[in-house]
Each structure stands twice: as C-alpha cells, then as structure tokens.
Amino acid sequence: MNYRPPMRTEPPDWPLYSLFFLLLGGSYLPISLVSGMNAYFLVLALVVWGTRNNRFPKSLWVLLICFSGIIALGMAFGYDNEPYPYLKDAWYFINPVGVILVGYSFGALTPRLSHALRLLVIAGLILASLHLAKFAINPNLLSLPATEVRALAGNGNFVVGLTCAFLIASIGRWREMLAIRPIFGWIVLLLCGVSITLAYSRTLVLVVLVFWTALRGLMLGSRFVKLGAAVIVGLALLGALAASLPPASEAEKKTFTGKMLRSAQELTIADYRDQQSINDNFRGFETARAYKDYVDGGVLRWLGGRGFGHFVDLGVYLFLGDGPMRYIPVLHNGMLYVLVKTGALGLILYLVSFGWLFRRGAVAARSVDPDERFAGLIVQGAVAVSLLTSWLIAGPFNKTALVSVLLLLGFCLSIVERKEWKR
C-alpha cells in the first residue's frame, strides 16, 4: 500500500519568520544586502503563491500600473543621462514596490495578522534594547546635546515607532490583537517609549502619532475631516509660536526642544543665500532649488520631468557626506524628487497609487470582520506615514527607513483582498 502523508492544512510558518528577519535586517544590514533579500523572498513567495492558482489582486494592479508609468517617464526622459545615477534612480522607484509585493506575498501565504504583529512587537523589543544598550554602556551620552546623541547612538527606528503605536492603540486588547501577554506588552511599551524619547527624532514621534490616529479609526469619514482641521490649526499655532520666539542660539539649535520649535522654519521653502541659513534650513533650501530646477525645464519637462540620472543644482558647494557637492541626485523631499525626475504626470501617478490604497484601507476598515477591519486601519496608517514622510525624509525612496511600513502595507493588503474574495 502506498503511503500518502497527511495534507497540510495550517499556513506555512516560513513567511512569518522571513517577515521577522526582514524587519530586523532592514534596520541594520547594508542596503545592497537588504535589496538582495527582498528579491530572494519575493521570487520564493511568488513561486509558492503562484502555484496555488490565485487571482492577481486589483489593488496591486493599480499600484503596478501607476509605478510602471512613473518608471517609464523617468527612463524615457533621462535616457541620455549618466548610466550609474540613471540606474540608481530606477532602483529607488522599483524598491518600494518590491517591498510591498514581498509583504503581500507573505500575507497571501500565511494570513495570520496577530502572529505577524506579535513578531513586529518582538522585533521592536530587540531594536529598542540594542538602542538603549548604547546608553547603558556609555551613560555620558545622556549629558550631551540631542544632535550629538543622535550622531553617536542613532536616530531611532521605525520598527520601534510602529511597535509603540500598536501597543498604545490596542491597550486592553493585546492578547486578541497582538497575541502577546499584558505583562510582556507593558515591558515592551516601556522600553520602546524610552528608546523613542532618547532618539530625539521628530519624524519618529510623528510616525507614532499618525499610526496611532489611523489605528483608532480617526481617518474615517467625518472623523478624518475633523482631524484635518485640527492638524491645520495645530500647524498654524506651531508656526506662530516659532515666529514669535527670538532667534535661537547655536546651543539651542542642538536641543530637541529647539529643533521642534524650528520645524516649521526648517521646512519653509526659500532660496537662502547665506551659508548659515542654508545649513540651518537645508531641507527648505533644497526643496526651493529643486522646484526652481523643475520650473526652468519648459513645458515638456513640466509634464515628464528631467528623467532618471538628473542632478539638481544647489547653486553653491556644500559639505554633504562625501565632501563638497553642488549637484545632488536625490532629495530629502520625496514629492519634489518625483516631480523633478518624472514631472507632473509622475507625481499625479504617485499620489493616485497611494490614494487608491488609502481608499482600499478605508473600505476594509468599515467591515464587520475584525481582522479585515484592523488590516484596513493598518493600510490607512501605512499610506499616511508613507505620504507624510515623503515630504520629510523622502518616504518610500529613503532606502531602508520605511521597509517595515511597506511590508506591513503589503501584508495587510493581502488580508483585505482575501476577505473580499471569500465574500
């Protein structure tokens, strides 16, 4: 008699462990290695998923069509630029789509949301502990200005921020939503909170607030309108407060409080001329120079951009990482990065792709199914963080910073699609 082993009914575990590995590796490993792992896991997951005769999800169709259009514009209008920066720009635009596809494939193979979030919490605990260990080894770090602490101990991690947001938003429901015990949750929340505090990162604080807002359902319907009004009022008050304060000294600029109060000024788009103003407000200066580069291109360039491989002229030589530079290939402002490289058409496609995903999340967030509802809220939070950080730190184009956010976005999209198919 031929023996047939029993058919496996439980989802495989390797996608969850792979997701955990990417959450940790995306924070510390070199970008080339992270990209290689993403490509490997994507091929592996797609082979296994593809053999199951699953239909191709409409959410990913929209994402792929939009980004294919963006990439086509960049390649077409930059064909005569230098090969290396040309290909590097192409990678910057391909990478976020690849990460989302990896997350989606993992979710399609093992749609256990609470298990995936438990691994996120464990990854957050590990990364927060590694960050805090630097202060335990060298307590003198606590006496240094914020800018020096960030340079020596690191500027925080998005996985830690996401962990903190999930824990705060689901207090009292940790067993159900995150598959963890309360005592463990409180320990992780304490360590992640301290890590975020000592990271002195304005962006990380915003990520926690934005994701918490989404998870609490405040980005739905009339709540979203009220939230938008509150944000506008808050930004206006912050700008008024910053304008009313006397100019900060060099010592005050290095503190976290001073950086918070100067946030609006740093992002103010202006073509500064003196060296000190450029150094203090580089992001606003860089954005102004990029916009000038864009509008000087003519009608055709307004529509399709200057293509991959194009360098933005800062007008002056500045010490940026590798030495004095005047022409830069990548910007902190991801919106202007898309606009300069792929024009108004590319920026529209970029906003349409994430707008569509946000809408998909909003529809799922109104479901009566708890997993689908929670997955929809996570999709909304991931999209909101991606768009917010696009203006601040290049968003999805910031190499590995948003790997955790994009993985979660893809994972939860697969859960939303699966629930819809079952109906």
Side-chain angles (χ1 to χ4, degrees), residues 155-176:
N155 53 8
N157 188 283
F158 272 48
V159 175
V160 176
L162 293 180
T163 300
C164 196
F166 275 106
L167 288 170
I168 295 173
S170 57
I171 287 178
R173 299 180 298 160
W174 288 341
R175 290 182 185 273
E176 172 191 354

Side-chain angles (χ1 to χ4, degrees), residues 39-62:
Y40 168 76
F41 284 126
L42 178 59
V43 171
L44 182 62
L46 287 179
V47 167
V48 177
W49 180 57
T51 57
R52 296 183 177 183
N53 197 29
N54 292 318
R55 71 182 78 178
F56 199 85
K58 58 183 178 182
S59 294
L60 294 187
W61 270 124
V62 175

Side-chain angles (χ1 to χ4, degrees), residues 272-288:
Y272 301 99
R273 292 291 84 195
D274 62 284
Q275 190 72 36
Q276 187 62 51
S277 296
I278 292 174
N279 293 336
D280 290 343
N281 312 293
F282 179 73
R283 294 186 185 185
F285 167 75
E286 179 192 61
T287 300

Side-chain angles (χ1 to χ4, degrees), residues 11-345:
D13 291 328
W14 69 265
L16 284 177
Y17 297 138
S18 302
L19 177 67
F20 177 72
F21 183 69
L22 284 178
L23 289 173
L24 292 177
S27 304
Y28 279 97
L29 296 177
I31 182 60
S32 57
L33 185 55
V34 175
S35 297
M37 290 191 303
N38 276 331
Y40 168 76
F41 284 126
L42 178 59
V43 171
L44 182 62
L46 287 179
V47 167
V48 177
W49 180 57
T51 57
R52 296 183 177 183
N53 197 29
N54 292 318
R55 71 182 78 178
F56 199 85
K58 58 183 178 182
S59 294
L60 294 187
W61 270 124
V62 175
L63 179 71
L64 289 176
I65 289 173
C66 287
F67 266 82
S68 295
I70 295 171
I71 293 168
L73 286 168
M75 296 183 70
F77 282 88
Y79 70 95
D80 56 345
N81 291 328
E82 295 181 17
Y84 178 74
Y86 178 86
L87 295 175
K88 191 174 181 179
D89 277 334
W91 175 86
Y92 273 115
F93 281 84
I94 294 172
N95 183 59
V97 180
V99 176
I100 292 174
L101 288 175
V102 169
Y104 190 98
S105 301
F106 287 164
L109 291 172
T110 176
R112 294 179 288 182
L113 181 57
S114 61
H115 290 68
L117 295 180
R118 178 174 62 187
L119 292 177
L120 171 70
V121 171
I122 295 173
L125 170 64
I126 294 172
L127 294 172
S129 299
L130 290 174
H131 180 227
L132 295 177
K134 298 176 183 179
F135 295 89
I137 295 172
N138 185 11
N140 292 330
L141 288 173
L142 297 172
S143 62
L144 298 176
T147 53
E148 295 182 29
V149 172
R150 286 164 56 84
L152 296 172
N155 53 8
N157 188 283
F158 272 48
V159 175
V160 176
L162 293 180
T163 300
C164 196
F166 275 106
L167 288 170
I168 295 173
S170 57
I171 287 178
R173 299 180 298 160
W174 288 341
R175 290 182 185 273
E176 172 191 354
M177 309 303 293
L178 307 178
I180 61 174
R181 296 184 177 185
I183 183 63
F184 179 72
W186 286 114
I187 293 172
V188 177
L189 181 58
L190 174 63
L191 292 176
C192 287
V194 175
S195 176
I196 291 171
T197 302
L198 294 178
Y200 299 113
S201 171
R202 294 166 292 180
T203 302
L204 199 55
V205 172
L206 283 175
V207 167
V208 174
L209 290 175
V210 169
F211 231 101
W212 175 86
T213 300
L215 295 176
R216 297 302 297 175
L218 299 178
M219 293 186 179
L220 295 171
S222 61
R223 292 182 178 181
F224 196 24
V225 177
K226 294 177 182 178
L227 175 66
V231 169
I232 292 173
V233 171
L235 291 175
L237 291 175
L238 178 63
L241 176 62
S244 65
L245 294 175
S249 64
E250 289 304 312
E252 290 173 335
K253 291 177 183 177
K254 296 181 179 181
T255 66
F256 183 64
T257 303
K259 289 175 70 66
M260 287 293 292
L261 292 175
R262 294 191 67 257
S263 297
Q265 182 179 346
E266 286 184 33
L267 295 174
T268 300
I269 301 174
D271 194 2
Y272 301 99
R273 292 291 84 195
D274 62 284
Q275 190 72 36
Q276 187 62 51
S277 296
I278 292 174
N279 293 336
D280 290 343
N281 312 293
F282 179 73
R283 294 186 185 185
F285 167 75
E286 179 192 61
T287 300
R289 296 299 303 180
Y291 182 72
K292 182 179 184 300
D293 191 308
Y294 168 72
V295 297
D296 288 346
V299 176
L300 187 60
R301 298 295 184 179
W302 293 349
L303 292 174
R306 292 181 175 270
F308 292 161
H310 175 72
F311 285 74
V312 172
D313 182 7
L314 295 178
V316 293
Y317 281 93
L318 301 173
F319 283 90
L320 303 173
D322 297 332
M325 296 178 63
R326 174 173 173 173
Y327 302 93
I328 58 174
V330 184
L331 305 170
H332 286 89
N333 190 320
M335 298 291 188
L336 264 293
Y337 177 59
V338 176
L339 185 65
V340 169
K341 303 287 183 172
T342 63
L345 294 177

Side-chain angles (χ1 to χ4, degrees), residues 335-398:
M335 298 291 188
L336 264 293
Y337 177 59
V338 176
L339 185 65
V340 169
K341 303 287 183 172
T342 63
L345 294 177
L347 183 58
I348 290 171
L349 289 172
Y350 179 71
L351 295 176
V352 166
S353 64
F354 279 99
W356 168 258
L357 295 179
F358 187 87
R359 180 181 175 276
R360 295 283 294 147
V363 172
R366 294 183 174 89
S367 172
V368 296
D369 183 284
D371 271 359
E372 184 178 4
R373 182 169 62 251
F374 198 37
L377 294 174
I378 294 172
V379 169
Q380 283 192 300
V383 170
V385 167
S386 297
L387 291 178
L388 173 67
T389 56
S390 290
W391 190 264
L392 302 175
I393 57 168
F397 310 110
N398 189 331

